[in-house]
Amino acid sequence: IGAGDVARHAVQGFVAIGKVPILAVLVSAGMLGALVRGASDLLFVHLPVERYGTADGYSGALAAACGVGAVMGVALGGHLVRLSRVRYPLIAGVAAAAVGFALLGLSRSIAAAAAVFVVVGLGAAVLEFVASVAIQRTVDSAVLARVFGVVEAL
């Protein structure tokens, strides 16, 4: 595959997203989930040392707590995608991540932060999982790979 082919496939992915209005929402939800994961990665390193005055090793504990939440979120997302409307699971995912980040601002211990990261991980996983499944259900299979190429590139 040459550079011209890659560009043509990317354009076809953007065109497919533009043809179905809900796809822009689903792509944005998936991107938001990825943004939450990225912000969490930064906070895993920053919070233990700078906020709580603990050793660097606690970064792994916070990441593990977020991972536990993510596993729970995927399990929950598997149930939620059976609903006819994905808007409610997406709203719930956004709410869980937002509430989690707000609670991180109030947490005063590493244990409290770990508990909150479970909620953040759950919200991010629900967002990404539900958005991904909804995209697969919405997009014509002829351009599905191109749409996911756009989603992953963003």
Side-chain angles (χ1 to χ4, degrees), residues 52-72:
Y52 304 116
T54 59
D56 288 336
Y58 284 99
S59 294
L62 295 180
C66 193
V68 167
V71 169
M72 293 167 44

Side-chain angles (χ1 to χ4, degrees), residues 51-97:
R51 175 126 190 221
Y52 304 116
T54 59
D56 288 336
Y58 284 99
S59 294
L62 295 180
C66 193
V68 167
V71 169
M72 293 167 44
V74 169
L76 179 61
H79 172 72
L80 293 174
V81 293
R82 294 186 185 112
L83 301 174
S84 61
R85 295 185 180 198
V86 296
R87 116 178 47 151
Y88 301 116
L90 293 176
I91 291 169
V94 169

Side-chain angles (χ1 to χ4, degrees), residues 12-101:
Q12 289 171 344
F14 278 110
V15 168
I17 292 169
K19 286 182 180 177
V20 182
I22 190 65
L23 277 177
V25 173
L26 296 173
V27 168
S28 298
M31 290 171 48
L32 183 58
L35 179 68
V36 169
R37 274 190 300 111
S40 296
D41 288 347
L42 295 173
L43 290 171
F44 297 153
V45 176
H46 174 77
L47 288 177
V49 176
E50 299 296 325
R51 175 126 190 221
Y52 304 116
T54 59
D56 288 336
Y58 284 99
S59 294
L62 295 180
C66 193
V68 167
V71 169
M72 293 167 44
V74 169
L76 179 61
H79 172 72
L80 293 174
V81 293
R82 294 186 185 112
L83 301 174
S84 61
R85 295 185 180 198
V86 296
R87 116 178 47 151
Y88 301 116
L90 293 176
I91 291 169
V94 169
V99 167
F101 279 133

Side-chain angles (χ1 to χ4, degrees), residues 125-143:
V126 165
L127 269 173
E128 289 185 272
F129 183 85
V130 171
S132 178
V133 170
I135 289 169
Q136 292 174 49
R137 289 179 179 169
T138 306
V139 175
D140 180 16
S141 62
V143 292

